[in-house]
Amino acid sequence: IHSETPDHRPIIYFKTLLIEYMKKYEIVLLCVAGGLLLTFLFGRHEWKHIEIAPDSRMYHLLAVNMLQGKGYYLVPVGSIEDYDTQTIERFSIKDTEVMDTEVIGKPFMARSPGYPLFLSLIYLIHGVNVDVVLSYQIFLVGLIGILMILTGWIMWGKFGAIMALIAVLVFGMNRDVAYPVSQLLTECLAMFFMTAAATSAAWAKKGGWKRELLVSLIMSLAILTRPALVFVGLVYGIILFFQSIRTSWGKIFAFAGPCTIILLAWSVYASLNSGHII
């Protein structure tokens, strides 16, 4: 730099500083790129309203009933006047469908609480408006893109992050993967939790037993959102067992312990309130 003319010194210094800055924050830039790319690829379908599927009615009413303090029921309870116009119109609720808890009986606990709680939190913030859920699910898509890049970076460094960026591109071009984002269904939230579980699992593999606690928590949330994902948790637990049996029992218990306690607690609570084993 000192050999250059004075006029060129600021330019060369700026270039050197920029290169060092890029190296230091390239993972941040790649993560942002992955999140924006996946959001764009999914958002290009120009959804304007959330789409209502047959199961959407149950999730929505569970969320609204919990929000109103009526309990864990997937049917209208109490009075039709308690429900907003959007709920009545978009989910075709009639006076004849509104029931008393004595007629309905015990709460319907067979539906896991992950997605209804997600909806009730959104409704608590914005009021009961199903279309607002679409914005949140698109936001989750951006987080999924970021987590995919981060997973690649943790596993294989810069090469892994670039490969993950290509994976984001391929993933985002798949219409079958994109459709759940526009649906009032569990798939989008479950997809976010599973991606987060993969990221935390890659991070935990290079650390101690304490990191497996995070994997266990996120995996539990995924299972409470979509119960079929319990098989993914079991497979991960089996692999972790054989990988760690000779080196770290702490990792095995750190994953299995919290996950078992959380899922067992919901099972006991749901069984006691429903009157049969869940």
Side-chain angles (χ1 to χ4, degrees), residues 61-76:
L61 286 173
L62 282 170
V64 172
N65 286 333
M66 283 193 296
L67 197 62
Q68 295 183 357
K70 294 182 177 181
Y72 204 71
Y73 293 97
L74 46 70
V75 295

Side-chain angles (χ1 to χ4, degrees), residues 9-27:
R9 286 178 188 174
I11 299 175
I12 296 173
Y13 175 76
F14 176 75
K15 287 182 178 179
T16 305
L17 189 65
L18 182 62
I19 291 171
E20 291 299 322
Y21 182 85
M22 290 289 287
K23 287 181 179 179
K24 187 176 181 180
Y25 295 101
E26 59 187 1
I27 179 55

Side-chain angles (χ1 to χ4, degrees), residues 74-86:
L74 46 70
V75 295
V77 178
S79 170
I80 195 170
E81 296 178 357
D82 295 338
Y83 296 92
D84 58 283
T85 305
Q86 189 183 76

Side-chain angles (χ1 to χ4, degrees), residues 110-178:
R111 290 282 173 179
S112 54
Y115 196 64
L117 287 173
F118 173 71
L119 293 180
S120 63
L121 180 60
I122 294 174
Y123 296 161
L124 179 64
I125 297 171
H126 301 280
V128 180
N129 185 350
V130 291
D131 288 327
V132 175
V133 180
L134 180 60
S135 299
Y136 278 83
Q137 295 192 161
I138 291 176
F139 176 71
L140 289 180
V141 167
L143 295 180
I144 290 170
I146 291 173
L147 290 171
M148 288 176 68
I149 304 298
L150 190 57
T151 304
W153 179 276
I154 294 171
M155 295 176 69
W156 298 304
K158 186 176 180 179
F159 171 78
I162 294 173
M163 291 299 100
L165 190 60
I166 297 173
V168 167
L169 178 62
V170 176
F171 189 59
M173 295 297 291
N174 190 335
R175 173 70 184 182
D176 292 334
V177 177

Side-chain angles (χ1 to χ4, degrees), residues 50 56 75 95 97-98 113 116 127 137 147 197 204 207 212 238:
I50 199 79
S56 300
V75 295
D95 288 309
E97 294 179 312
V98 181
Q137 295 192 161
L147 290 171
E212 288 294 341
I238 292 170

